[in-house]
């Protein structure tokens, strides 16, 4: 696949890194010679210094033969015009744009991105995506990652196995026998930095991070089975009143009436503006690193500190300070992957990587076949994929025990006619089933092949 990426920042770099590793033909455009130089030196991609919305620059990047343009610069207007130029002058089949301003995304403006106006096939709003992920993590405090599939009827949760976890040192097959009515399947395990797909004879150990696929209704029971029965936070302090912080605060007001929220915003004008938009949230003006202001926000009595500023260092340090001042737990937004491995050792309980959220959305449209959703885990070491089974799929027909599934792949759930089915050896996949699969990175191509239309079908 030939792909042009406009924007060589953290998101653009991350997308280019993933696509280049999969041997796609990738060109990256950015106005910064330094960013283009860095991407040329580290990745097998073409780097072009220039404006991503200019026709001559897009042509130099290979727009005439491109299959996809992904516009993820810092500026919404540049992203939109880049897609418009790619469509009108070069007839690029797929255009993806990152749009951050919520003004463009209001429901009554939904026709803006149609083919007749601004022809953008996929609009990605990182603020909305990350905001929803933050809300899911708040609602399920025992999970380190939560993603929904199949019309939100299926959930993938990443759960840390603690020393007192009741399911450790027990073969996975035995867990199914002990809890036959629990539709949960352990599809992946991260142990000592190594990710693998477990077999039925494998056991979970203390310190493991288990990736579990289950139904939406059984997530809390599954967390309890793993020893996580943390209560949902009722007193929350949010650091950062940007688009994400405002979205989360507003959603908490609407969805969780009993939750008390206080929000800290460093810019006075912004603090006044969001205070006018929020009905019950207490907005404080000042720095989240100001200990006096944290105490004024009653941080010592808070259940959760959520740090959502646009500065990684502020998010990390304010989370650590909140914990030391008595806050029960914290959740930080961290863009720079270099900080991720340090979080546990310095006192950050959990973090969200917004770059990974955006990359996962892009991969959903890069993957070939009937792929409905993709979520990347462990820095791209594996993917959770929701795909629709076709009549020509090799998975359709035989019992799962007879299907030729690679060892690096495991089916977590099957969604059929509005019902979620837990897979077992006797089950047969039918056409139009939506299958949720955990696949190691080297098996993703195999998943794509399983869910593509065969030429023989025609």
């Amino acid at each position: 696949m030939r792909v042009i990426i406009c924007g060589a920042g953290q998101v653009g770099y991350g997308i280019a890194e993933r696509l280049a590793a999969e041997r796609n033909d990738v060109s990256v455009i950015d106005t910064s010679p330094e960013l283009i130089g860095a991407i040329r030196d580290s990745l097998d991609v073409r780097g072009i210094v220039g404006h991503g919305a200019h026709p001559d620059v897009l042509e130099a990047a290979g727009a005439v033969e491109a299959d996809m343009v992904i516009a993820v610069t810092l500026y919404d207007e540049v992203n939109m015009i880049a897609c418009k130029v790619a469509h009108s002058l070069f007839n690029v089949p797929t255009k993806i744009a990152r749009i951050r301003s919520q003004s463009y995304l209001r429901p009554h403006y939904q026709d803006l991105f149609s083919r007749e106006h601004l022809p953008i096939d996929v609009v990605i709003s990182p603020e909305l995506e990350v905001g929803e992920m933050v809300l899911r993590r708040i609602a399920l405090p025992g999970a380190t990652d939560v993603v929904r599939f199949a019309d939100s009827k299926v959930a993938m949760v990443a759960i840390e196995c603690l020393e007192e976890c009741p399911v450790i040192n027990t073969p996975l097959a035995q867990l199914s026998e002990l809890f036959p009515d629990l539709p949960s399947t352990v599809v992946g395990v991260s142990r000592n930095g190594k990710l693998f797909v477990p077999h039925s004879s494998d056991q979970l150990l203390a310190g493991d991070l288990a990736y579990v696929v289950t139904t939406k209704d059984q997530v809390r029971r599954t967390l309890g089975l793993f020893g996580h029965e943390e209560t949902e936070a009722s007193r929350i302090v949010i650091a950062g009143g940007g688009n994400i912080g405002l979205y989360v605060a507003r959603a908490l007001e609407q969805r969780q009436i009993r939750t008390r929220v206080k929000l800290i915003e460093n810019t006075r004008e912004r603090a006044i503006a969001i205070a006018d938009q929020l009905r019950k949230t207490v907005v404080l003006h000042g720095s989240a690193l100001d200990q006096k202001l944290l105490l004024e926000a009653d941080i010592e009595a808070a259940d959760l500190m959520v740090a959502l500023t646009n500065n990684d260092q502020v998010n990390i340090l304010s989370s650590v300070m909140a914990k030391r001042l008595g806050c029960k737990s914290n959740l930080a937004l961290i863009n720079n992957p270099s900080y991720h491995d340090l979080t546990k050792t310095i006192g950050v309980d959990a973090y969200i990587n917004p770059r990974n959220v955006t990359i996962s959305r892009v991969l959903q449209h890069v993957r070939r076949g009937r792929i409905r959703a993709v979520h990347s885990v462990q820095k791209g070491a594996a993917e959770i994929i929701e795909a629709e089974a076709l009549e020509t799929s090799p998975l359709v027909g035989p019992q799962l025990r007879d299907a030729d599934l690679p060892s690096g792949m495991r089916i977590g759930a099957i969604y059929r006619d509005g019902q979620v089915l837990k897979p077992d050896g006797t089950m047969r996949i039918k056409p139009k089933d939506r299958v949720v699969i955990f696949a190691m990175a080297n098996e993703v191509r195999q998943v794509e092949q399983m869910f593509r239309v065969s030429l023989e079908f025609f």
Side-chain angles (χ1 to χ4, degrees), residues 83-94:
C83 290
K84 173 66 175 174
V85 172
H87 173 83
S88 301
L89 297 184
F90 304 107
N91 199 28
V92 177
T94 304

Side-chain angles (χ1 to χ4, degrees), residues 7 10 25 40 47 57 122 139 167 170 187 216 222 227 259 276 278 285 306 321 330 339 348 381 417 432 444 455:
Q10 290 191 1
D25 186 339
R40 281 174 179 161
V57 177
V122 182
V167 300
T170 304
V187 293
K216 175 186 175 183
T222 301
T259 301
D276 290 338
L278 297 170
H285 167 235
V306 185
M321 285 179 62
N330 55 42
Y339 296 140
V348 176
D417 299 328
K432 297 186 179 180
V444 168
L455 290 175

Side-chain angles (χ1 to χ4, degrees), residues 6-21:
C6 300
Q10 290 191 1
V11 172
Y13 184 96
I15 296 169
E17 184 178 35
R18 290 294 301 278
L19 297 184

Side-chain angles (χ1 to χ4, degrees), residues 4 6 51-56 58-59 63 68-72 75-99 111-123:
I4 297 173
C6 300
H51 197 290
H54 289 178
D56 57 333
L58 284 168
E59 185 174 25
M68 180 180 293
V69 166
I70 303 170
V72 288
Y75 306 101
D76 293 350
E77 293 74 19
V78 173
N79 297 338
M80 291 188 287
I81 296 302
C83 290
K84 173 66 175 174
V85 172
H87 173 83
S88 301
L89 297 184
F90 304 107
N91 199 28
V92 177
T94 304
K95 286 80 59 183
I96 299 175
R98 178 172 68 172
I99 307 296
D111 289 340
L112 176 63
F113 302 114
S114 64
R115 293 182 69 86
E116 294 77 22
H117 301 111
L118 282 172
I120 300 175
D121 301 294
V122 182
V123 172

